[in-house]
Amino acid sequence: MALLVDTHRATTRIAQVAYPFLAEGGLGADGTYIGSDVFSGGSFVYDPWVLYQARVITNPNVLLAGVIGSGKSSTAKALITRSIALGHKAYVPCDPKGEWTQVAEAMGGTTIKLGPGLPARLNPLDGGRRPHAIASEEWDRIVWSRRRALLGTLAESTLGRPLAAIEHTALDLALETVSAQVDAPTIPDVVVALFTPDPDWAQRAGLTTSSLTNDGREVAHAIRRLVHGDLSGMFDGPSTTEFDPSAPMVSLDSSWIGSSGNDHALRLTLACASSWLEAAVADPAGGNRYIVYDEGWRVMRDPALLRRMQEQWKLSRAWGISNVLIVHRLSDLAAVGDLGSEARGLAEGLLADCSTRIMLRQESDQLARTASLLGLTDVEIATIAKLPKGRALWRLPNRSFVVQLVRHVREVELFDTDGRM
């Protein structure tokens, strides 16, 4: 006797339980081609600005993590270089291994090589070009605020502690003094003003020059490192080059510093270089731009620099930029300060402000920490543990994709990071 079953009608969302061959529809075709979606077999396309406009993601920032040899560098470079063809631009404020130099040159961009004894010099206190949409007085306030923030970052990073209230006052008065004297102040100007305060400015603050000198002495010695210390000749005078906003890509090659293993000097370099670039990226009319922080683990140990990076993360939507933070593993965040410390909170805040997380292969002892920080499912964690080279889990809010990077033969040569081995 035949088995009679009542007719049942259901949507594909329900029917996928009985018919498991349905796959995620992808993110659409508007954006940069990355590779193939492993589960659907279709092309995977990504653009943070398109997805933000579509409310798929809540911010355009990207975290990219993967162990050495997993294809992390190739994935980042493919995303950046292919986006340039769509009119996007890219800036690398600190390249500690010099890996982006040939990439920038191949894209028709420029590279500025920084290091002791090299001819290039940047004035991190440059005002930059005022955007047409910003009034002159407002722009002056923005420039002063950016200069003051940088000087505070440099001082706190070198001293290894937050500035005291009186030290903030000394630094404020020193910057106000030199800003009233010259249109384009330099760090040596500020150092001189800290060591020899102007009597008029001191009097306006109700202080004497002698007390102001004593109160700002440690700050002056901290910032002096960029004038007479191991970073002299790099940030201690007028810029010898100008930022070209029309260039598709600008990279600041700091491999002369990064190769020495001096992470503190590298962090100071990143702070200065970022400030120099900030005048360009702060222009909302500048188009869509990627800001790439390679070897992020080397610069995330400094609370002062983390605060500066967090501000840029928060302003990404207003400025039209996508910050790309590249690290080896998520446990790098755990190495930033003690549990409950300001540094740890800032580092995890950067992670929270990255709507897109690109996870390449992680070592087995890192999986639990990765799952905790990203809220990954058991299936996603199991996937990360066995990803082959060039394959990544792209995690967006409530959605994830396993994507195999597809490279052209020219890209294989250009992105190669094993050539020095």
Side-chain angles (χ1 to χ4, degrees):
M1 180 177 178
L3 179 63
L4 299 179
V5 180
D6 293 337
T7 302
H8 176 74
R9 180 175 297 175
T11 66
T12 54
R13 182 177 181 181
I14 302 300
Q16 65 181 335
V17 176
Y19 187 79
F21 307 105
L22 298 177
E24 162 73 70
L27 298 174
D30 192 1
T32 302
Y33 172 75
I34 302 298
S36 60
D37 186 322
V38 173
F39 294 143
S40 72
S43 297
F44 182 80
V45 173
Y46 175 82
D47 187 301
W49 295 280
V50 170
L51 296 177
Y52 178 75
Q53 291 295 328
R55 297 294 184 265
V56 175
I57 57 179
T58 57
N59 64 69
N61 302 315
V62 178
L63 171 75
L64 197 159
V67 299
I68 296 174
S70 61
K72 173 175 76 273
S73 180
S74 291
T75 300
K77 291 169 183 174
L79 171 63
I80 299 301
T81 56
R82 296 174 187 179
S83 296
I84 290 175
L86 302 179
H88 302 333
K89 298 177 182 178
Y91 306 140
V92 185
C94 188
D95 180 12
K97 293 195 294 186
E99 291 183 359
W100 291 85
T101 296
Q102 63 177 356
V103 176
E105 293 172 351
M107 294 296 105
T110 59
T111 298
I112 302 171
K113 298 183 179 181
L114 296 172
L118 296 180
R121 182 176 60 203
L122 305 180
N123 177 14
L125 302 183
D126 275 343
R129 302 177 183 178
R130 177 174 63 87
H132 297 296
I134 300 179
S136 179
E137 292 184 359
E138 182 183 355
W139 179 245
D140 290 341
R141 289 192 295 269
I142 292 173
V143 170
W144 193 94
S145 178
R146 186 171 65 245
R147 289 169 174 168
R148 176 60 181 82
L150 171 66
L151 293 170
T153 298
L154 297 175
E156 291 186 353
S157 179
T158 304
L159 293 172
R161 61 169 176 80
L163 296 184
I166 191 62
E167 290 175 323
H168 279 290
T169 299
L171 193 53
D172 288 343
L173 293 177
L175 181 57
E176 288 173 358
T177 299
V178 297
S179 297
Q181 294 172 346
V182 294
D183 293 332
T186 62
I187 288 180
D189 295 332
V190 176
V191 172
V192 170
L194 282 167
F195 279 124
T196 57
D198 183 273
D200 293 335
W201 285 98
Q203 186 177 13
R204 294 177 191 179
L207 301 169
T208 64
T209 55
S210 59
S211 64
L212 198 55
T213 301
N214 291 331
D215 294 333
R217 187 175 300 278
E218 287 194 37
V219 176
H221 282 291
I223 299 178
R224 183 181 180 273
R225 178 177 181 180
L226 281 83
V227 180
H228 300 290
D230 51 356
L231 298 180
S232 62
M234 297 170 55
F235 308 107
D236 55 2
S239 298
T240 59
T241 183
E242 291 187 3
F243 180 85
D244 182 6
S246 65
M249 188 171 183
V250 178
S251 173
L252 291 122
D253 186 340
S254 55
S255 57
W256 277 261
I257 304 168
S259 60
S260 67
N262 189 341
D263 285 351
H264 186 211
L266 195 66
R267 292 194 294 269
L268 294 179
T269 300
L270 174 60
C272 291
S274 297
S275 180
W276 189 74
L277 287 174
E278 210 168 279
V281 302
D283 183 0
N288 297 331
R289 294 142 296 178
Y290 283 105
I291 311 295
V292 182
Y293 292 89
D294 206 347
E295 295 287 303
W297 62 273
R298 300 185 67 173
V299 300
M300 291 179 62
R301 301 173 183 175
D302 193 322
L305 186 55
L306 280 171
R307 284 194 293 271
R308 186 172 181 81
M309 293 174 68
Q310 185 187 54
E311 180 181 0
Q312 185 165 311
W313 253 246
K314 296 294 186 183
L315 292 172
S316 60
R317 289 171 291 184
W319 289 354
I321 65 174
S322 170
N323 298 291
V324 181
L325 179 63
I326 304 175
V327 299
H328 291 306
R329 50 191 176 270
L330 269 294
S331 61
D332 291 338
L333 294 172
V336 180
D338 298 327
L339 185 64
S341 66
E342 179 194 16
R344 177 74 70 86
L346 289 169
E348 294 186 356
L350 292 182
L351 173 60
D353 286 332
C354 291
S355 281
T356 303
R357 290 88 177 266
I358 307 172
M359 303 302 301
L360 290 99
R361 183 171 57 83
Q362 296 285 294
E363 299 293 358
S364 57
D365 60 347
Q366 303 295 322
L367 297 178
R369 181 62 178 167
T370 301
S372 174
L373 287 172
L374 299 184
L376 301 181
T377 65
D378 293 340
V379 174
E380 290 171 330
I381 285 296
T383 300
I384 292 175
K386 57 185 180 182
L387 289 172
K389 184 175 182 178
R391 186 171 296 181
L393 174 74
W394 288 63
R395 186 69 147 79
L396 283 73
N398 304 316
R399 303 173 74 178
S400 62
F401 308 85
V402 177
V403 180
Q404 177 63 51
L405 175 67
V406 177
R407 296 185 297 172
H408 186 273
V409 63
R410 178 70 180 100
E411 291 180 320
V412 174
E413 299 173 357
L414 185 62
F415 301 164
D416 180 30
T417 56
D418 298 324
R420 300 178 185 176
M421 298 299 292

